[in-house]
Amino acid sequence: MVPQRVSLLTLGALRLPELRKFYQLLGWEETEASSDEYAVFKTAGVFLTLFPLEELAKDAGVELQSPIEGFRGVTFAINVNAAEEVDSVMEKVRMAGGKILREPSDAFWGGRTSYFADPENNLWEVAWNPSSVFDERGAMIDF
């Protein structure tokens, strides 16, 4: 059986120091392993790491075609505890230099949502879902 969990997500970075700075400006805590060559951010249950794109491709044993600049078909989500938090989080993202793709709005499914892109066009949703359940660390365990 393959364990049903996600432990670590790695973003291949074109300009790692600049991308690292963006996540620092969001106020995200790093581990001692972080540097401008490999950055590790703590989140609720999953580590987010930044690694040079060319090195990531080499490590995975794949050929790097060309730097991807548009939508990659993947989004990440930050789920928050209250509807008004979507708006305050997006304001912090705006101040850190994130590109707001969709301003906060009420969602058809009863929550509130917004989207932004980091400096290398990785897409993030910030959402409040009224049925979300979080554990004591802030990891979402149900919705």
Side-chain angles (χ1 to χ4, degrees):
M1 179 173 104
V2 175
Q4 190 171 337
R5 63 176 167 236
V6 176
S7 309
L8 186 141
L9 295 172
T10 300
L11 298 178
L14 295 170
R15 296 168 306 281
L16 199 145
E18 292 86 358
L19 193 57
R20 178 182 181 208
K21 183 68 175 173
F22 172 76
Y23 288 99
Q24 289 171 336
L25 288 172
L26 294 183
W28 287 20
E29 181 183 354
E30 292 180 86
T31 71
E32 291 181 15
S34 286
S35 69
D36 279 345
E37 287 79 43
Y38 180 67
V40 183
F41 291 90
K42 296 178 180 181
T43 72
V46 176
F47 286 99
L48 175 70
T49 67
L50 309 176
F51 194 56
L53 181 60
E54 289 180 358
E55 293 298 316
L56 183 59
K58 189 167 122 182
D59 192 48
V62 297
E63 185 178 325
L64 185 60
Q65 300 296 318
S66 64
I68 301 169
E69 296 182 19
F71 180 56
R72 297 176 181 109
V74 175
T75 63
F76 305 99
I78 301 166
N79 283 72
V80 296
N81 295 311
E84 58 274 6
E85 273 187 86
V86 173
D87 298 67
S88 61
V89 166
M90 292 307 285
E91 195 51 42
K92 177 75 174 175
V93 166
R94 190 183 319 275
M95 290 173 25
K99 180 181 176 184
I100 308 304
L101 303 173
R102 181 173 149 194
E103 293 290 340
S105 61
D106 293 334
F108 71 91
W109 42 266
R112 189 158 179 81
T113 188
S114 185
Y115 281 86
F116 73 90
D118 73 12
E120 294 195 4
N121 289 318
N122 296 296
L123 270 55
W124 289 85
E125 178 187 21
V126 177
W128 169 71
N129 183 331
S131 61
S132 290
V133 179
F134 300 94
D135 69 12
E136 65 280 353
R137 296 173 304 144
M140 191 163 69
I141 58 175
D142 201 4
F143 68 96

